[in-house]
Amino acid sequence: MKSGIFKPVAAYNNGFGGHQNNRCHAFRTSADICLNPVKKPFIKAAAFSMHNKKFNSLSNSYLIYIGVAIASGGVALYTPLIVSETGKNFSGFWAASILFGLNLGRVIGSFAGSRFSRAVNHPLMVCGNIFLEGIALYCMAFLQQAWALALFAVLAGFGSGLSFPGLKNYLLKLRDLDQSALFSRLAFAIRMGLVSGYLMASWVPHESLRLVFLIVLVTFIAYGIFMLIAMRAISEHEKQYLALHTTLAQQEKQTSTRQTNSASQDIAETGQRTTELPILFYLSNAMFWCFAIQPMIGFSLHIPKFTPDIPVSTPFWISALVIIFFQIPISKRAIRIRDHFRFLQIGYGCLFLSFLLMLVFTHSATAVIVSAVLLSFGQVFYGPSLDVLTARFADKTCADTGKLMSKQMLYQSMGNMVGSLAGGILFDLSQHFDSPRLNWLLLALASVVMVILSKNKIPQLYRQAGNMPSAH
């Protein structure tokens, strides 16, 4: 759900695990500190994992991926159906309020998780929050009031906001695996699950929402079980690893006091510097996902009314296929920072073309499909490059990568939350003024503004914040 489920992450060569020559190599978890500017922590982790033959990092990562894929299928199964049914039975506003509620719950859950991370990341808590999300969704099948659907959507989103960061936290504990590979496989698992769910939605009887949400509940139970098995194994391995790491650190401290003091001085100097990404960088992320979620609302409401000859789920599974096949090959083409900023601009450009196509060919089913493909390419270009830019900024400034990523996800969830509600309101306005093109016109104009800002202004602020040269 949320941001976690829908967010695309691609494999890239110089992402989370890049920049081997930086002075500061942080582990990306709260248990790790940046002390040694020379030795690589993941080398020790790899050696330890090879020594501990009872633990297989790759197998445990695949347990997580399988669980995520199953749950993603459940998400893709219910989302277009519940939005479409709510729009037909109530209004576009109430249809959008469901996605708004989901993202509001994620924001609240993410905030609560950041305040009580130790308790929330316990394996039983992560598993319990997964079950909470599934049960809340299942209860929606028995609700007849629109406000009740929105309320339980908030509860489901709250479970998602608490559990999904924990999933990433346990993946990052697999230190002997390359981080970029970890997240690319996670993205692949999510998209494969989404495609399966969208295809399943085309033949599951839409009239029986209880059957649909029963299937969704089963997928989340399976997700929780797979996660629990993996998390317990990873937690036990983590205890052994930290014990060994502490011993090695004490030995190094006795033999390299001078080097450690120098590193500590560097950390003290770094801590005095402000290492925050510019606010416009975060806001542009929120705006992108605010626009990108519009078709989730717009298509779900638009198709039954203007292009009823295609199933509601069609543009969604086509979009997921596009991302699966093109995300990794395209992302590999961006190497330098300026390449990634160019990809951000192309991402916004794809959104503009998608909205423009719907503006011109409002009643065409073909236009809906092509528009969905363009939207997918926008996510292919934008999502991974934003992750790379955030990670490289952290590497460059020796900032807390986890904190920057959490803040990035917070703004993305806020963009999804505002965008889902705005999508319903825009659709209702277009119906009120009897102008089905109005919502697409406003979206096209707003995306043009972001294309302009992402060309020069945002890159300039980014480089100034990180003290980077203008050409990188």
Side-chain angles (χ1 to χ4, degrees):
M1 314 244 328
K2 106 85 110 173
S3 62
I5 295 290
F6 284 102
K7 180 182 178 181
V9 186
Y12 35 82
N13 295 327
N14 295 291
F16 292 97
H19 294 291
Q20 301 296 324
N21 294 322
N22 285 342
R23 296 170 63 200
C24 185
H25 298 276
F27 262 175
R28 315 303 191 233
T29 68
S30 59
D32 301 312
I33 54 175
C34 181
L35 282 178
N36 196 318
V38 178
K39 295 189 177 181
K40 313 298 187 292
F42 63 85
I43 294 177
K44 296 179 183 178
F48 175 69
S49 293
M50 287 187 291
H51 176 72
N52 186 4
K53 295 182 180 180
K54 292 182 179 180
F55 180 81
N56 190 313
S57 295
L58 193 61
S59 297
N60 283 283
S61 69
Y62 274 98
L63 282 175
I64 295 176
Y65 298 145
I66 293 172
V68 169
I70 294 173
S72 298
V75 169
L77 173 61
Y78 88 84
T79 305
L81 298 182
I82 193 65
V83 171
S84 178
E85 289 297 316
T86 306
K88 287 190 293 185
N89 296 331
F90 298 98
S91 68
F93 170 80
W94 284 112
S97 70
I98 293 177
L99 294 184
F100 177 86
L102 286 169
N103 286 288
L104 175 61
R106 291 186 194 112
V107 170
I108 297 173
S110 298
F111 179 77
S114 65
R115 297 294 299 272
F116 309 101
S117 59
R118 188 168 186 176
V120 169
N121 286 328
H122 190 278
L124 292 179
M125 284 293 293
V126 174
C127 187
N129 287 319
I130 291 173
F131 291 155
L132 170 65
E133 182 177 1
I135 293 171
L137 292 174
Y138 179 62
C139 290
M140 293 172 69
F142 301 90
L143 303 176
Q144 303 297 326
Q145 296 82 16
W147 63 267
L149 290 170
L151 181 62
F152 272 77
V154 174
L155 185 60
F158 181 73
S160 175
L162 287 173
S163 64
F164 199 75
L167 178 151
K168 289 189 173 183
N169 178 54
Y170 279 94
L171 276 178
L172 288 171
K173 291 178 184 293
L174 303 174
R175 296 181 177 86
D176 55 318
L177 299 181
D178 180 67
Q179 289 182 340
S180 63
L182 282 173
F183 285 99
S184 66
R185 290 169 186 157
L186 176 62
F188 185 80
I190 291 172
R191 293 300 165 183
M192 287 300 296
L194 291 177
V195 170
S196 301
Y198 290 139
L199 291 175
M200 191 185 304
S202 63
W203 60 265
V204 171
H206 297 183
E207 298 79 14
S208 179
L209 283 180
R210 293 188 181 183
L211 174 61
V212 170
F213 281 100
L214 177 60
I215 297 174
V216 172
L217 176 60
V218 171
T219 63
F220 275 87
I221 291 175
Y223 172 32
I225 292 173
F226 277 106
M227 279 294 300
L228 183 60
I229 295 172
M231 288 186 297
R232 294 186 68 174
I234 294 172
S235 295
E236 183 62 29
H237 179 72
E238 177 80 355
K239 291 178 182 178
Q240 299 175 21
Y241 171 79
L242 290 178
L244 176 63
H245 181 70
T246 302
T247 302
L248 292 175
Q250 292 174 349
Q251 294 175 354
E252 289 181 1
K253 184 177 181 180
Q254 296 174 357
T255 58
S256 58
T257 304
R258 182 176 180 180
Q259 188 179 40
T260 302
N261 290 338
S262 177
S264 300
Q265 183 179 358
D266 289 340
I267 294 170
E269 293 174 355
T270 301
Q272 296 174 358
R273 298 198 305 264
T274 300
T275 53
E276 282 291 334
L277 282 161
I279 188 66
L280 189 59
F281 183 85
Y282 289 119
L283 289 176
S284 69
N285 185 32
M287 290 298 295
F288 179 87
W289 295 108
C290 177
F291 296 154
I293 202 175
Q294 295 302 319
M296 176 64 71
I297 296 293
F299 288 159
S300 298
L301 299 174
H302 181 95
I303 290 173
K305 189 173 184 64
F306 299 107
T307 59
D309 48 325
I310 61 173
V312 174
S313 61
T314 300
F316 302 112
W317 66 260
I318 290 177
S319 298
L321 282 177
V322 169
I323 294 175
I324 286 175
F325 287 115
F326 290 98
Q327 182 168 288
I328 293 176
I330 288 179
S331 298
K332 287 181 177 179
R333 295 182 176 275
I335 300 175
R336 297 165 297 183
I337 284 181
R338 65 181 181 185
D339 296 333
H340 289 289
F341 273 114
R342 188 178 298 114
F343 272 26
L344 298 191
Q345 189 179 19
I346 293 174
Y348 270 115
C350 289
L351 293 189
F352 167 70
L353 293 176
S354 176
F355 300 145
L356 181 64
L357 193 63
M358 291 300 297
L359 174 65
V360 178
F361 304 102
T362 307
H363 295 83
S364 170
T366 303
V368 170
I369 294 174
V370 176
S371 178
V373 170
L374 286 170
L375 177 75
S376 301
F377 275 110
Q379 296 181 45
V380 166
F381 281 101
Y382 189 92
S385 287
L386 190 83
D387 286 336
V388 173
L389 288 170
T390 304
R392 288 191 180 178
F393 183 89
D395 286 339
K396 177 70 176 178
T397 61
C398 222
D400 184 344
T401 306
K403 180 180 178 181
L404 293 182
M405 288 292 179
S406 297
K407 194 170 182 179
Q408 172 189 321
M409 290 184 66
L410 176 64
Y411 275 86
Q412 177 182 329
S413 296
M414 292 173 61
N416 283 326
M417 181 175 66
V418 174
S420 59
L421 187 63
I425 294 174
L426 288 175
F427 184 83
D428 286 344
L429 282 176
S430 66
Q431 299 307 298
H432 176 74
F433 292 105
D434 195 24
S435 176
R437 292 180 170 86
L438 178 61
N439 53 331
W440 303 113
L441 173 63
L442 295 175
L443 290 171
L445 292 176
S447 58
V448 167
V449 174
M450 294 310 300
V451 169
I452 296 172
L453 286 176
S454 60
K455 180 176 176 58
N456 292 315
K457 185 63 176 178
I458 296 175
Q460 180 183 3
L461 293 175
Y462 174 91
R463 294 188 175 98
Q464 289 175 353
N467 296 319
M468 302 179 188
S470 58
H472 199 83

